[in-house]
Amino acid sequence: MKEPLNIDWSGLSFGYMTTDYNVRCSYKNGEWGEIETTSSELIPMHMAATCLHYGQEAFEGLKAFRGKDGKVRVFRMDENARRIRKSAEGIMMPPIPEDKFYEMVKLVVRLNERFIPPYGTGASLYIRPLQIGITAQVGVKPAKEYLFLIFVTPVGPYFKGGFATTPYVITRRYDRAAPLGTGTFKVGGNYAASLRASQEAHDAGYSAEFYLDAREKKYMDECGAANFFGIKNNTYITPLSTSILPSITNKSLIQLAEDLGMTVERRQVPEEELATFEEAGACGTAAVISPIERIDDPENNRSYVIAKDGKPGPVCTRLYNTLRGIQLGEIEDTHGWNTIVIE
C-alpha cells in the first residue's frame, strides 16, 4: 500500500516531484526491446556515453488532465510522437515507433494515477519523454545503443502569476539557434544555448527573453522555451522561421483562431511590427499562453507596450479558456485532440 499523498495541488510550482514509476525501452542490435517499468529515478550510464559528450538526446513535454467528468485525458500525444521522431532523425537517432510511444505514455500515466491533480486545482500531470544515446565511445559519431524513457510529475503553472501579463525582453547579444541548425528539433543543446540569456532576463525582472532571427537581427523568432504570436485586425500572426521549434500549443491555437473566424498568418514578423499588435503572447505546453504586457529592446532603447491596461486581452483570454476547456473536458473536443487514458 502506498502512503496517502499530502500535496497542496493548488500551490504546486512547475518543478520535479518524485512519483511512483517511470517506463523505459532500450534499443540494441538494431531494434527496440520490451517496455520495462521501474521505480528507480537513476539511469545507469557509462561516462563515455554519447549523450554526455556529443549531445545526442531529444525530449518532449506533454500533459495529462483530470477532467470535470473524472476522466483523464492526454492532450495531442500524436503530435508529440511525431515531433520526437523528427528530433531523433535530425540528430541521427533511431526514432521510437509511434505505437510504442503511445503505449508508454498511457502506461506511465496509469501507473502514476494518484499523482494526477484533481480537477479544478489548475495543476496537471507533466509527461517527459526522453531519448539518449548511451554507447560508450570518444569518436564523434552516432551511438549504436539508446535508451528511451518517460517519467511524470505533477506541476502547477509555469509562471507564478498563471494567466497574467508579464514583461519580456529582446536579446541581441545571443542566438538560440542558427537558421539551418537544430532549432526545429527539441534537443537539449538549444536550451543550453538559451540559459545565459534567460538568466539575464530573469535577473532584470522579465519573464523570459525573445530572440531575433540569427541572420539579420530584424525579425521575431521565439523565446527560449515558447513560440510568439501577435493579434491585430482579427488576425493571428506567428513567425515563420527555419530555426523555431514547431510548438504543438501554437499549432492548436492556430486551429482555434480559425475556428473563431480569425485569419491566420505565418510569416516573418519585423520587430517594429510589435508596436501595432493589440495583443500578444508566448505559448507552449508548460505555460499554454503567457500574455505579454510589453517587450523591451534595451539595446536600442525601445519599449513596445502591448497590454495598455496591464490585463490579458479578449482574444488571448478566449483562446486560453477554449484550449484549457478542451483539455479538461469542459468543451467538446471537435478535433479529436484528446486521448482518454483513464475512464
Side-chain angles (χ1 to χ4, degrees), residues 33 63 72 87 93 97 113 127 145 155 175 193 202 217 234 255 262 278-279 304 314 324 328 334 342:
K63 288 180 177 179
V72 175
S87 296
M93 297 195 297
E113 180 178 1
I127 305 166
E145 297 184 353
V155 297
D175 293 320
H202 291 156
K217 297 289 186 179
N234 198 41
Q255 181 62 64
M262 299 179 68
E278 300 157 11
E279 303 177 41
Y304 304 94
R324 289 284 291 161
L328 294 170
T334 58
I342 300 176

mmCIF file with all atom_site columns, all heavy atoms in Angstrom, residues 33 63 72 87 93 97 113 127 145 155 175 193 202 217 234 255 262 278-279 304 314 324 328 334 342:
data_model
loop_
_atom_site.group_PDB
_atom_site.id
_atom_site.type_symbol
_atom_site.label_atom_id
_atom_site.label_alt_id
_atom_site.label_comp_id
_atom_site.label_asym_id
_atom_site.label_entity_id
_atom_site.label_seq_id
_atom_site.pdbx_PDB_ins_code
_atom_site.Cartn_x
_atom_site.Cartn_y
_atom_site.Cartn_z
_atom_site.occupancy
_atom_site.B_iso_or_equiv
_atom_site.pdbx_formal_charge
_atom_site.auth_seq_id
_atom_site.auth_comp_id
_atom_site.auth_asym_id
_atom_site.auth_atom_id
_atom_site.pdbx_PDB_model_num
ATOM 1   N N   . GLY A 1 33  ? 13.525  -2.951 -27.767 1.00 0.00 ? 33  GLY A N   1
ATOM 2   C CA  . GLY A 1 33  ? 13.153  -4.081 -26.935 1.00 0.00 ? 33  GLY A CA  1
ATOM 3   C C   . GLY A 1 33  ? 11.781  -3.934 -26.303 1.00 0.00 ? 33  GLY A C   1
ATOM 4   O O   . GLY A 1 33  ? 10.924  -3.185 -26.777 1.00 0.00 ? 33  GLY A O   1
ATOM 5   N N   . LYS A 1 63  ? 1.018   16.805 -21.426 1.00 0.00 ? 63  LYS A N   1
ATOM 6   C CA  . LYS A 1 63  ? 0.327   16.808 -20.146 1.00 0.00 ? 63  LYS A CA  1
ATOM 7   C C   . LYS A 1 63  ? -0.900  15.892 -20.150 1.00 0.00 ? 63  LYS A C   1
ATOM 8   O O   . LYS A 1 63  ? -1.538  15.686 -21.186 1.00 0.00 ? 63  LYS A O   1
ATOM 9   C CB  . LYS A 1 63  ? -0.137  18.226 -19.797 1.00 0.00 ? 63  LYS A CB  1
ATOM 10  C CG  . LYS A 1 63  ? 0.976   19.177 -19.392 1.00 0.00 ? 63  LYS A CG  1
ATOM 11  C CD  . LYS A 1 63  ? 0.407   20.559 -19.076 1.00 0.00 ? 63  LYS A CD  1
ATOM 12  C CE  . LYS A 1 63  ? 1.479   21.519 -18.600 1.00 0.00 ? 63  LYS A CE  1
ATOM 13  N NZ  . LYS A 1 63  ? 0.923   22.873 -18.322 1.00 0.00 ? 63  LYS A NZ  1
ATOM 14  N N   . VAL A 1 72  ? -9.414  10.985 -17.335 1.00 0.00 ? 72  VAL A N   1
ATOM 15  C CA  . VAL A 1 72  ? -8.070  11.523 -17.501 1.00 0.00 ? 72  VAL A CA  1
ATOM 16  C C   . VAL A 1 72  ? -7.731  11.549 -18.986 1.00 0.00 ? 72  VAL A C   1
ATOM 17  O O   . VAL A 1 72  ? -7.800  10.523 -19.666 1.00 0.00 ? 72  VAL A O   1
ATOM 18  C CB  . VAL A 1 72  ? -7.029  10.696 -16.727 1.00 0.00 ? 72  VAL A CB  1
ATOM 19  C CG1 . VAL A 1 72  ? -5.617  11.210 -17.007 1.00 0.00 ? 72  VAL A CG1 1
ATOM 20  C CG2 . VAL A 1 72  ? -7.327  10.752 -15.229 1.00 0.00 ? 72  VAL A CG2 1
ATOM 21  N N   . SER A 1 87  ? 12.876  14.985 -34.202 1.00 0.00 ? 87  SER A N   1
ATOM 22  C CA  . SER A 1 87  ? 14.070  15.356 -33.452 1.00 0.00 ? 87  SER A CA  1
ATOM 23  C C   . SER A 1 87  ? 15.101  14.241 -33.480 1.00 0.00 ? 87  SER A C   1
ATOM 24  O O   . SER A 1 87  ? 16.295  14.477 -33.687 1.00 0.00 ? 87  SER A O   1
ATOM 25  C CB  . SER A 1 87  ? 13.708  15.679 -31.999 1.00 0.00 ? 87  SER A CB  1
ATOM 26  O OG  . SER A 1 87  ? 12.866  16.818 -31.917 1.00 0.00 ? 87  SER A OG  1
ATOM 27  N N   . MET A 1 93  ? 19.346  9.547  -34.471 1.00 0.00 ? 93  MET A N   1
ATOM 28  C CA  . MET A 1 93  ? 18.920  8.518  -33.531 1.00 0.00 ? 93  MET A CA  1
ATOM 29  C C   . MET A 1 93  ? 17.760  7.737  -34.142 1.00 0.00 ? 93  MET A C   1
ATOM 30  O O   . MET A 1 93  ? 16.920  8.319  -34.839 1.00 0.00 ? 93  MET A O   1
ATOM 31  C CB  . MET A 1 93  ? 18.464  9.137  -32.200 1.00 0.00 ? 93  MET A CB  1
ATOM 32  C CG  . MET A 1 93  ? 19.536  9.872  -31.436 1.00 0.00 ? 93  MET A CG  1
ATOM 33  S SD  . MET A 1 93  ? 19.077  10.201 -29.682 1.00 0.00 ? 93  MET A SD  1
ATOM 34  C CE  . MET A 1 93  ? 17.658  11.270 -29.873 1.00 0.00 ? 93  MET A CE  1
ATOM 35  N N   . PRO A 1 97  ? 9.126   3.845  -32.244 1.00 0.00 ? 97  PRO A N   1
ATOM 36  C CA  . PRO A 1 97  ? 7.888   3.666  -33.027 1.00 0.00 ? 97  PRO A CA  1
ATOM 37  C C   . PRO A 1 97  ? 6.714   4.371  -32.351 1.00 0.00 ? 97  PRO A C   1
ATOM 38  O O   . PRO A 1 97  ? 6.593   4.361  -31.118 1.00 0.00 ? 97  PRO A O   1
ATOM 39  C CB  . PRO A 1 97  ? 7.704   2.147  -33.037 1.00 0.00 ? 97  PRO A CB  1
ATOM 40  C CG  . PRO A 1 97  ? 9.080   1.594  -32.838 1.00 0.00 ? 97  PRO A CG  1
ATOM 41  C CD  . PRO A 1 97  ? 9.763   2.562  -31.911 1.00 0.00 ? 97  PRO A CD  1
ATOM 42  N N   . GLU A 1 113 ? -1.385  7.198  -11.421 1.00 0.00 ? 113 GLU A N   1
ATOM 43  C CA  . GLU A 1 113 ? -2.692  7.853  -11.386 1.00 0.00 ? 113 GLU A CA  1
ATOM 44  C C   . GLU A 1 113 ? -2.892  8.705  -10.129 1.00 0.00 ? 113 GLU A C   1
ATOM 45  O O   . GLU A 1 113 ? -3.488  9.773  -10.173 1.00 0.00 ? 113 GLU A O   1
ATOM 46  C CB  . GLU A 1 113 ? -3.813  6.810  -11.471 1.00 0.00 ? 113 GLU A CB  1
ATOM 47  C CG  . GLU A 1 113 ? -5.206  7.441  -11.445 1.00 0.00 ? 113 GLU A CG  1
ATOM 48  C CD  . GLU A 1 113 ? -6.327  6.419  -11.571 1.00 0.00 ? 113 GLU A CD  1
ATOM 49  O OE1 . GLU A 1 113 ? -6.016  5.205  -11.662 1.00 0.00 ? 113 GLU A OE1 1
ATOM 50  O OE2 . GLU A 1 113 ? -7.496  6.837  -11.571 1.00 0.00 ? 113 GLU A OE2 1
ATOM 51  N N   . ILE A 1 127 ? 4.276   15.139 -18.483 1.00 0.00 ? 127 ILE A N   1
ATOM 52  C CA  . ILE A 1 127 ? 4.830   13.894 -19.004 1.00 0.00 ? 127 ILE A CA  1
ATOM 53  C C   . ILE A 1 127 ? 6.094   14.225 -19.795 1.00 0.00 ? 127 ILE A C   1
ATOM 54  O O   . ILE A 1 127 ? 6.052   15.009 -20.736 1.00 0.00 ? 127 ILE A O   1
ATOM 55  C CB  . ILE A 1 127 ? 3.807   13.186 -19.918 1.00 0.00 ? 127 ILE A CB  1
ATOM 56  C CG1 . ILE A 1 127 ? 2.480   12.968 -19.163 1.00 0.00 ? 127 ILE A CG1 1
ATOM 57  C CG2 . ILE A 1 127 ? 4.362   11.863 -20.436 1.00 0.00 ? 127 ILE A CG2 1
ATOM 58  C CD1 . ILE A 1 127 ? 1.323   12.599 -20.075 1.00 0.00 ? 127 ILE A CD1 1
ATOM 59  N N   . GLU A 1 145 ? 23.559  2.258  -29.332 1.00 0.00 ? 145 GLU A N   1
ATOM 60  C CA  . GLU A 1 145 ? 22.553  1.855  -28.353 1.00 0.00 ? 145 GLU A CA  1
ATOM 61  C C   . GLU A 1 145 ? 21.899  3.101  -27.758 1.00 0.00 ? 145 GLU A C   1
ATOM 62  O O   . GLU A 1 145 ? 22.560  4.128  -27.556 1.00 0.00 ? 145 GLU A O   1
ATOM 63  C CB  . GLU A 1 145 ? 23.189  1.012  -27.245 1.00 0.00 ? 145 GLU A CB  1
ATOM 64  C CG  . GLU A 1 145 ? 23.772  -0.295 -27.753 1.00 0.00 ? 145 GLU A CG  1
ATOM 65  C CD  . GLU A 1 145 ? 24.323  -1.157 -26.617 1.00 0.00 ? 145 GLU A CD  1
ATOM 66  O OE1 . GLU A 1 145 ? 24.363  -0.667 -25.466 1.00 0.00 ? 145 GLU A OE1 1
ATOM 67  O OE2 . GLU A 1 145 ? 24.706  -2.306 -26.886 1.00 0.00 ? 145 GLU A OE2 1
ATOM 68  N N   . VAL A 1 155 ? 2.508   19.201 -11.840 1.00 0.00 ? 155 VAL A N   1
ATOM 69  C CA  . VAL A 1 155 ? 3.020   20.564 -11.923 1.00 0.00 ? 155 VAL A CA  1
ATOM 70  C C   . VAL A 1 155 ? 1.886   21.581 -11.852 1.00 0.00 ? 155 VAL A C   1
ATOM 71  O O   . VAL A 1 155 ? 0.748   21.296 -12.223 1.00 0.00 ? 155 VAL A O   1
ATOM 72  C CB  . VAL A 1 155 ? 3.817   20.797 -13.234 1.00 0.00 ? 155 VAL A CB  1
ATOM 73  C CG1 . VAL A 1 155 ? 5.044   19.917 -13.288 1.00 0.00 ? 155 VAL A CG1 1
ATOM 74  C CG2 . VAL A 1 155 ? 2.931   20.591 -14.461 1.00 0.00 ? 155 VAL A CG2 1
ATOM 75  N N   . ASP A 1 175 ? 22.134  34.195 -29.736 1.00 0.00 ? 175 ASP A N   1
ATOM 76  C CA  . ASP A 1 175 ? 21.246  33.477 -30.641 1.00 0.00 ? 175 ASP A CA  1
ATOM 77  C C   . ASP A 1 175 ? 20.883  32.146 -30.004 1.00 0.00 ? 175 ASP A C   1
ATOM 78  O O   . ASP A 1 175 ? 21.733  31.482 -29.398 1.00 0.00 ? 175 ASP A O   1
ATOM 79  C CB  . ASP A 1 175 ? 21.919  33.210 -31.994 1.00 0.00 ? 175 ASP A CB  1
ATOM 80  C CG  . ASP A 1 175 ? 22.182  34.487 -32.770 1.00 0.00 ? 175 ASP A CG  1
ATOM 81  O OD1 . ASP A 1 175 ? 21.312  35.371 -32.748 1.00 0.00 ? 175 ASP A OD1 1
ATOM 82  O OD2 . ASP A 1 175 ? 23.261  34.597 -33.395 1.00 0.00 ? 175 ASP A OD2 1
ATOM 83  N N   . ALA A 1 193 ? 21.817  26.630 -24.938 1.00 0.00 ? 193 ALA A N   1
ATOM 84  C CA  . ALA A 1 193 ? 22.199  27.879 -25.600 1.00 0.00 ? 193 ALA A CA  1
ATOM 85  C C   . ALA A 1 193 ? 21.380  29.067 -25.107 1.00 0.00 ? 193 ALA A C   1
ATOM 86  O O   . ALA A 1 193 ? 21.787  30.220 -25.288 1.00 0.00 ? 193 ALA A O   1
ATOM 87  C CB  . ALA A 1 193 ? 22.042  27.734 -27.112 1.00 0.00 ? 193 ALA A CB  1
ATOM 88  N N   . HIS A 1 202 ? 15.722  37.123 -16.443 1.00 0.00 ? 202 HIS A N   1
ATOM 89  C CA  . HIS A 1 202 ? 15.099  36.967 -15.130 1.00 0.00 ? 202 HIS A CA  1
ATOM 90  C C   . HIS A 1 202 ? 15.706  37.928 -14.103 1.00 0.00 ? 202 HIS A C   1
ATOM 91  O O   . HIS A 1 202 ? 14.983  38.543 -13.308 1.00 0.00 ? 202 HIS A O   1
ATOM 92  C CB  . HIS A 1 202 ? 15.246  35.526 -14.647 1.00 0.00 ? 202 HIS A CB  1
ATOM 93  C CG  . HIS A 1 202 ? 14.440  34.550 -15.432 1.00 0.00 ? 202 HIS A CG  1
ATOM 94  N ND1 . HIS A 1 202 ? 14.762  33.210 -15.523 1.00 0.00 ? 202 HIS A ND1 1
ATOM 95  C CD2 . HIS A 1 202 ? 13.329  34.713 -16.187 1.00 0.00 ? 202 HIS A CD2 1
ATOM 96  C CE1 . HIS A 1 202 ? 13.880  32.597 -16.289 1.00 0.00 ? 202 HIS A CE1 1
ATOM 97  N NE2 . HIS A 1 202 ? 13.011  33.484 -16.705 1.00 0.00 ? 202 HIS A NE2 1
ATOM 98  N N   . LYS A 1 217 ? 18.924  39.819 -37.538 1.00 0.00 ? 217 LYS A N   1
ATOM 99  C CA  . LYS A 1 217 ? 18.543  40.510 -36.295 1.00 0.00 ? 217 LYS A CA  1
ATOM 100 C C   . LYS A 1 217 ? 17.444  41.546 -36.561 1.00 0.00 ? 217 LYS A C   1
ATOM 101 O O   . LYS A 1 217 ? 17.458  42.651 -36.024 1.00 0.00 ? 217 LYS A O   1
ATOM 102 C CB  . LYS A 1 217 ? 19.763  41.200 -35.656 1.00 0.00 ? 217 LYS A CB  1
ATOM 103 C CG  . LYS A 1 217 ? 20.858  40.253 -35.210 1.00 0.00 ? 217 LYS A CG  1
ATOM 104 C CD  . LYS A 1 217 ? 20.432  39.451 -33.987 1.00 0.00 ? 217 LYS A CD  1
ATOM 105 C CE  . LYS A 1 217 ? 21.578  38.618 -33.445 1.00 0.00 ? 217 LYS A CE  1
ATOM 106 N NZ  . LYS A 1 217 ? 21.225  37.839 -32.253 1.00 0.00 ? 217 LYS A NZ  1
ATOM 107 N N   . ASN A 1 234 ? -8.257  41.179 -36.144 1.00 0.00 ? 234 ASN A N   1
ATOM 108 C CA  . ASN A 1 234 ? -8.865  39.848 -36.191 1.00 0.00 ? 234 ASN A CA  1
ATOM 109 C C   . ASN A 1 234 ? -7.958  38.831 -36.892 1.00 0.00 ? 234 ASN A C   1
ATOM 110 O O   . ASN A 1 234 ? -8.427  37.893 -37.533 1.00 0.00 ? 234 ASN A O   1
ATOM 111 C CB  . ASN A 1 234 ? -10.232 39.880 -36.882 1.00 0.00 ? 234 ASN A CB  1
ATOM 112 C CG  . ASN A 1 234 ? -11.070 38.656 -36.564 1.00 0.00 ? 234 ASN A CG  1
ATOM 113 O OD1 . ASN A 1 234 ? -11.105 38.185 -35.430 1.00 0.00 ? 234 ASN A OD1 1
ATOM 114 N ND2 . ASN A 1 234 ? -11.765 38.125 -37.565 1.00 0.00 ? 234 ASN A ND2 1
ATOM 115 N N   . GLN A 1 255 ? -5.432  26.608 -34.997 1.00 0.00 ? 255 GLN A N   1
ATOM 116 C CA  . GLN A 1 255 ? -6.697  25.975 -35.360 1.00 0.00 ? 255 GLN A CA  1
ATOM 117 C C   . GLN A 1 255 ? -7.870  26.633 -34.649 1.00 0.00 ? 255 GLN A C   1
ATOM 118 O O   . GLN A 1 255 ? -8.924  26.889 -35.252 1.00 0.00 ? 255 GLN A O   1
ATOM 119 C CB  . GLN A 1 255 ? -6.656  24.483 -35.028 1.00 0.00 ? 255 GLN A CB  1
ATOM 120 C CG  . GLN A 1 255 ? -7.926  23.725 -35.385 1.00 0.00 ? 255 GLN A CG  1
ATOM 121 C CD  . GLN A 1 255 ? -8.221  23.763 -36.868 1.00 0.00 ? 255 GLN A CD  1
ATOM 122 O OE1 . GLN A 1 255 ? -7.448  23.244 -37.666 1.00 0.00 ? 255 GLN A OE1 1
ATOM 123 N NE2 . GLN A 1 255 ? -9.340  24.367 -37.266 1.00 0.00 ? 255 GLN A NE2 1
ATOM 124 N N   . MET A 1 262 ? -11.010 33.872 -37.268 1.00 0.00 ? 262 MET A N   1
ATOM 125 C CA  . MET A 1 262 ? -9.867  34.754 -37.453 1.00 0.00 ? 262 MET A CA  1
ATOM 126 C C   . MET A 1 262 ? -9.038  34.333 -38.662 1.00 0.00 ? 262 MET A C   1
ATOM 127 O O   . MET A 1 262 ? -9.029  33.164 -39.054 1.00 0.00 ? 262 MET A O   1
ATOM 128 C CB  . MET A 1 262 ? -8.983  34.742 -36.194 1.00 0.00 ? 262 MET A CB  1
ATOM 129 C CG  . MET A 1 262 ? -9.673  35.229 -34.931 1.00 0.00 ? 262 MET A CG  1
ATOM 130 S SD  . MET A 1 262 ? -8.576  35.159 -33.483 1.00 0.00 ? 262 MET A SD  1
ATOM 131 C CE  . MET A 1 262 ? -7.383  36.444 -33.924 1.00 0.00 ? 262 MET A CE  1
ATOM 132 N N   . GLU A 1 278 ? -2.445  44.430 -31.032 1.00 0.00 ? 278 GLU A N   1
ATOM 133 C CA  . GLU A 1 278 ? -3.443  44.698 -29.991 1.00 0.00 ? 278 GLU A CA  1
ATOM 134 C C   . GLU A 1 278 ? -3.233  43.779 -28.795 1.00 0.00 ? 278 GLU A C   1
ATOM 135 O O   . GLU A 1 278 ? -3.526  44.150 -27.654 1.00 0.00 ? 278 GLU A O   1
ATOM 136 C CB  . GLU A 1 278 ? -4.840  44.491 -30.575 1.00 0.00 ? 278 GLU A CB  1
ATOM 137 C CG  . GLU A 1 278 ? -5.150  45.400 -31.762 1.00 0.00 ? 278 GLU A CG  1
ATOM 138 C CD  . GLU A 1 278 ? -6.256  44.842 -32.653 1.00 0.00 ? 278 GLU A CD  1
ATOM 139 O OE1 . GLU A 1 278 ? -6.916  43.854 -32.237 1.00 0.00 ? 278 GLU A OE1 1
ATOM 140 O OE2 . GLU A 1 278 ? -6.451  45.374 -33.748 1.00 0.00 ? 278 GLU A OE2 1
ATOM 141 N N   . GLU A 1 279 ? -2.757  42.563 -29.071 1.00 0.00 ? 279 GLU A N   1
ATOM 142 C CA  . GLU A 1 279 ? -2.441  41.583 -28.035 1.00 0.00 ? 279 GLU A CA  1
ATOM 143 C C   . GLU A 1 279 ? -1.262  40.757 -28.528 1.00 0.00 ? 279 GLU A C   1
ATOM 144 O O   . GLU A 1 279 ? -0.982  40.702 -29.725 1.00 0.00 ? 279 GLU A O   1
ATOM 145 C CB  . GLU A 1 279 ? -3.623  40.643 -27.764 1.00 0.00 ? 279 GLU A CB  1
ATOM 146 C CG  . GLU A 1 279 ? -4.916  41.320 -27.360 1.00 0.00 ? 279 GLU A CG  1
ATOM 147 C CD  . GLU A 1 279 ? -6.047  40.311 -27.182 1.00 0.00 ? 279 GLU A CD  1
ATOM 148 O OE1 . GLU A 1 279 ? -5.795  39.225 -26.610 1.00 0.00 ? 279 GLU A OE1 1
ATOM 149 O OE2 . GLU A 1 279 ? -7.161  40.600 -27.610 1.00 0.00 ? 279 GLU A OE2 1
ATOM 150 N N   . TYR A 1 304 ? 7.934   48.251 -26.423 1.00 0.00 ? 304 TYR A N   1
ATOM 151 C CA  . TYR A 1 304 ? 6.666   48.067 -27.121 1.00 0.00 ? 304 TYR A CA  1
ATOM 152 C C   . TYR A 1 304 ? 5.622   47.634 -26.089 1.00 0.00 ? 304 TYR A C   1
ATOM 153 O O   . TYR A 1 304 ? 5.613   46.487 -25.645 1.00 0.00 ? 304 TYR A O   1
ATOM 154 C CB  . TYR A 1 304 ? 6.800   47.004 -28.208 1.00 0.00 ? 304 TYR A CB  1
ATOM 155 C CG  . TYR A 1 304 ? 7.908   47.301 -29.200 1.00 0.00 ? 304 TYR A CG  1
ATOM 156 C CD1 . TYR A 1 304 ? 9.190   46.767 -29.021 1.00 0.00 ? 304 TYR A CD1 1
ATOM 157 C CD2 . TYR A 1 304 ? 7.690   48.107 -30.314 1.00 0.00 ? 304 TYR A CD2 1
ATOM 158 C CE1 . TYR A 1 304 ? 10.212  47.027 -29.925 1.00 0.00 ? 304 TYR A CE1 1
ATOM 159 C CE2 . TYR A 1 304 ? 8.705   48.379 -31.227 1.00 0.00 ? 304 TYR A CE2 1
ATOM 160 C CZ  . TYR A 1 304 ? 9.963   47.839 -31.027 1.00 0.00 ? 304 TYR A CZ  1
ATOM 161 O OH  . TYR A 1 304 ? 10.973  48.100 -31.923 1.00 0.00 ? 304 TYR A OH  1
ATOM 162 N N   . PRO A 1 314 ? -8.928  40.229 -24.830 1.00 0.00 ? 314 PRO A N   1
ATOM 163 C CA  . PRO A 1 314 ? -10.074 39.335 -25.017 1.00 0.00 ? 314 PRO A CA  1
ATOM 164 C C   . PRO A 1 314 ? -9.785  38.132 -25.904 1.00 0.00 ? 314 PRO A C   1
ATOM 165 O O   . PRO A 1 314 ? -10.327 37.047 -25.664 1.00 0.00 ? 314 PRO A O   1
ATOM 166 C CB  . PRO A 1 314 ? -11.133 40.250 -25.653 1.00 0.00 ? 314 PRO A CB  1
ATOM 167 C CG  . PRO A 1 314 ? -10.358 41.395 -26.247 1.00 0.00 ? 314 PRO A CG  1
ATOM 168 C CD  . PRO A 1 314 ? -9.188  41.592 -25.350 1.00 0.00 ? 314 PRO A CD  1
ATOM 169 N N   . ARG A 1 324 ? -7.918  25.317 -22.708 1.00 0.00 ? 324 ARG A N   1
ATOM 170 C CA  . ARG A 1 324 ? -7.999  24.673 -21.391 1.00 0.00 ? 324 ARG A CA  1
ATOM 171 C C   . ARG A 1 324 ? -9.315  23.901 -21.236 1.00 0.00 ? 324 ARG A C   1
ATOM 172 O O   . ARG A 1 324 ? -9.344  22.811 -20.660 1.00 0.00 ? 324 ARG A O   1
ATOM 173 C CB  . ARG A 1 324 ? -7.885  25.735 -20.288 1.00 0.00 ? 324 ARG A CB  1
ATOM 174 C CG  . ARG A 1 324 ? -6.506  26.345 -20.152 1.00 0.00 ? 324 ARG A CG  1
ATOM 175 C CD  . ARG A 1 324 ? -5.541  25.412 -19.456 1.00 0.00 ? 324 ARG A CD  1
ATOM 176 N NE  . ARG A 1 324 ? -5.885  25.243 -18.045 1.00 0.00 ? 324 ARG A NE  1
ATOM 177 C CZ  . ARG A 1 324 ? -5.458  24.240 -17.296 1.00 0.00 ? 324 ARG A CZ  1
ATOM 178 N NH1 . ARG A 1 324 ? -4.683  23.310 -17.817 1.00 0.00 ? 324 ARG A NH1 1
ATOM 179 N NH2 . ARG A 1 324 ? -5.794  24.168 -16.013 1.00 0.00 ? 324 ARG A NH2 1
ATOM 180 N N   . LEU A 1 328 ? -9.651  19.891 -20.395 1.00 0.00 ? 328 LEU A N   1
ATOM 181 C CA  . LEU A 1 328 ? -10.311 19.472 -19.155 1.00 0.00 ? 328 LEU A CA  1
ATOM 182 C C   . LEU A 1 328 ? -11.672 18.818 -19.385 1.00 0.00 ? 328 LEU A C   1
ATOM 183 O O   . LEU A 1 328 ? -12.365 18.468 -18.428 1.00 0.00 ? 328 LEU A O   1
ATOM 184 C CB  . LEU A 1 328 ? -10.477 20.680 -18.225 1.00 0.00 ? 328 LEU A CB  1
ATOM 185 C CG  . LEU A 1 328 ? -9.174  21.286 -17.703 1.00 0.00 ? 328 LEU A CG  1
ATOM 186 C CD1 . LEU A 1 328 ? -9.442  22.615 -17.000 1.00 0.00 ? 328 LEU A CD1 1
ATOM 187 C CD2 . LEU A 1 328 ? -8.471  20.320 -16.748 1.00 0.00 ? 328 LEU A CD2 1
ATOM 188 N N   . THR A 1 334 ? -13.837 18.760 -30.685 1.00 0.00 ? 334 THR A N   1
ATOM 189 C CA  . THR A 1 334 ? -14.283 18.512 -32.055 1.00 0.00 ? 334 THR A CA  1
ATOM 190 C C   . THR A 1 334 ? -13.144 18.079 -32.985 1.00 0.00 ? 334 THR A C   1
ATOM 191 O O   . THR A 1 334 ? -13.399 17.504 -34.043 1.00 0.00 ? 334 THR A O   1
ATOM 192 C CB  . THR A 1 334 ? -14.952 19.776 -32.635 1.00 0.00 ? 334 THR A CB  1
ATOM 193 O OG1 . THR A 1 334 ? -14.019 20.871 -32.579 1.00 0.00 ? 334 THR A OG1 1
ATOM 194 C CG2 . THR A 1 334 ? -16.202 20.141 -31.844 1.00 0.00 ? 334 THR A CG2 1
ATOM 195 N N   . ILE A 1 342 ? -7.815  7.112  -18.791 1.00 0.00 ? 342 ILE A N   1
ATOM 196 C CA  . ILE A 1 342 ? -8.488  6.568  -17.609 1.00 0.00 ? 342 ILE A CA  1
ATOM 197 C C   . ILE A 1 342 ? -9.929  7.029  -17.641 1.00 0.00 ? 342 ILE A C   1
ATOM 198 O O   . ILE A 1 342 ? -10.201 8.239  -17.659 1.00 0.00 ? 342 ILE A O   1
ATOM 199 C CB  . ILE A 1 342 ? -7.805  7.014  -16.301 1.00 0.00 ? 342 ILE A CB  1
ATOM 200 C CG1 . ILE A 1 342 ? -6.351  6.551  -16.259 1.00 0.00 ? 342 ILE A CG1 1
ATOM 201 C CG2 . ILE A 1 342 ? -8.576  6.461  -15.077 1.00 0.00 ? 342 ILE A CG2 1
ATOM 202 C CD1 . ILE A 1 342 ? -5.574  7.046  -15.037 1.00 0.00 ? 342 ILE A CD1 1
#
